[in-house]
Amino acid sequence: KRRCQDDAWSEEAYEAPVRAQLVDAGQAGWRVRPDAERGPAQAAVVDSFGGDSAAQAQVLADAARDDDDLHAEVGGGGRAVRTDINFPVGFMDVVRIERSGDLMRILYDTKGRFVLHKVEPEEGSFKLCKVKRQELTKKATPYIVTHDGRTVRYPDPDIKVDDTVKIDLATGKVVDFVKYAVGTTVFVTQGRSTGRVGTILHLERHPGSFDIVTVRDAEGNTFATRKGNTFLIGKTDKKEDLLISLPRGDGIKRTIFENRESLLKKKARV
């Protein structure tokens, strides 16, 4: 319990560790992943699976009893296999579960929750990263820093801040990039529109404040968000030009009434 003495929190309250919740199969355990000046803080999904993935969830439920039973590779490219149930992962990370053989990418749904989206081996061989900084070293060596803390030396001169780079997980090199511009497809990663996907229609610049972008989804719905909340995933507004596949719903946010109608239609078919 937190105790307050003389209107100040005790050291016990400040030093209380954040622990992952180990729960039964089909539920989720998570904790906060701090990000030291490398973009917005991300929540670290440890064992979040969909309701139809009982077999996958059972693997982690068993691992909760013995940490050595969990063998997951985070990041791909032959990286060390993780056995810690609390090892953090974040947006766009690729996770492979050895026991079940599943390959998944960490994305958001339209309610702002992390989802594990199954991908093919070809798509799981790379990762998209947002460029957060572009600077020079003391010896004038150009480099960029991505949202997940990667440092890439001697990048393409055309790569700027807010662009997206495609990283080959096997080599760690940039194989492609997307320029931030009107007409490209973005994935919203923060704010009330988290998880929505759409095409940039307009960019409003506000020096000294936040730049605002207007986005239109595949069904013609428009919304506005901060430029810093967007993550490029496609060079054009066409679905076939997307660099990654999308989770269920394709990033289109539904109202509670639309969800109700779709459920009623499904029941009527049955």
Side-chain angles (χ1 to χ4, degrees):
K1 296 182 179 180
R2 294 186 174 182
R3 299 178 180 178
C4 183
Q5 298 178 353
D6 299 330
D7 296 331
W9 291 108
S10 65
E11 293 184 2
E12 180 183 1
Y14 281 112
E15 297 178 357
V18 179
R19 300 184 180 277
Q21 300 174 2
L22 300 179
V23 293
D24 295 335
Q27 298 184 12
W30 62 276
R31 66 191 180 91
V32 173
R33 175 187 182 184
D35 196 25
E37 298 182 358
R38 292 175 181 173
Q42 301 287 352
V45 175
V46 181
D47 55 342
S48 175
F49 291 95
D52 58 345
S53 302
Q56 299 167 337
Q58 187 61 47
V59 171
L60 292 174
D62 296 339
R65 304 185 187 94
D66 185 0
D67 287 350
D68 292 336
D69 288 342
L70 177 64
H71 297 278
E73 181 182 331
V74 179
R79 294 196 173 193
V81 175
R82 307 297 177 178
T83 59
D84 183 8
I85 193 72
N86 296 333
F87 187 82
V89 295
F91 180 67
M92 282 293 172
D93 278 341
V94 177
V95 179
R96 182 172 64 87
I97 306 297
E98 281 195 345
R99 184 183 297 183
S100 62
D102 290 319
L103 190 63
M104 295 158 287
R105 187 185 302 279
I106 307 297
L107 296 174
Y108 291 108
D109 64 9
T110 54
K111 292 186 178 181
R113 303 170 300 190
F114 276 102
V115 293
L116 289 174
H117 174 57
K118 280 191 176 183
V119 296
E120 298 297 329
E122 181 179 356
E123 184 180 342
S125 64
F126 66 87
K127 176 182 181 181
L128 300 185
C129 296
K130 181 177 180 179
V131 179
K132 304 296 292 186
R133 291 162 49 198
Q134 180 192 29
E135 299 177 359
L136 297 174
T137 64
K138 293 181 179 179
K139 295 186 178 181
T141 300
Y143 71 94
I144 57 174
V145 179
T146 60
H147 78 282
D148 60 347
R150 295 173 184 263
T151 299
V152 180
R153 291 159 52 91
Y154 297 104
D156 189 299
D158 290 335
I159 298 176
K160 305 297 180 182
V161 175
D162 291 327
D163 293 347
T164 291
V165 293
K166 183 178 178 180
I167 303 289
D168 185 351
L169 294 176
T171 62
K173 296 182 179 180
V174 177
V175 296
D176 197 4
F177 65 93
V178 182
K179 295 291 298 178
Y180 200 100
V182 174
T184 55
T185 302
V186 294
F187 196 113
V188 182
T189 59
Q190 294 183 73
R192 295 185 62 182
S193 299
T194 298
R196 300 184 72 174
V197 176
T199 305
I200 298 178
L201 294 180
H202 182 63
L203 173 60
E204 299 178 10
R205 300 192 180 277
H206 300 277
S209 184
F210 299 102
D211 294 342
I212 303 297
V213 293
T214 303
V215 183
R216 180 177 59 196
D217 64 18
E219 293 193 350
N221 304 313
T222 59
F223 59 95
T225 186
R226 294 180 182 179
K227 180 182 179 182
N229 295 347
T230 57
F231 192 111
L232 286 177
I233 59 172
K235 296 182 179 181
T236 66
D237 58 350
K238 298 180 180 179
K239 188 174 181 179
E240 54 268 21
D241 291 336
L242 295 181
L243 299 180
I244 61 171
S245 59
L246 298 176
R248 183 176 59 181
D250 293 332
I252 300 175
K253 190 172 184 178
R254 308 288 183 181
T255 64
I256 56 176
F257 303 106
E258 292 173 337
N259 289 333
R260 179 176 178 273
E261 289 180 2
S262 63
L263 289 175
L264 291 176
K265 289 181 181 179
K266 289 181 180 179
K267 290 182 179 180
R269 293 172 187 172
V270 176

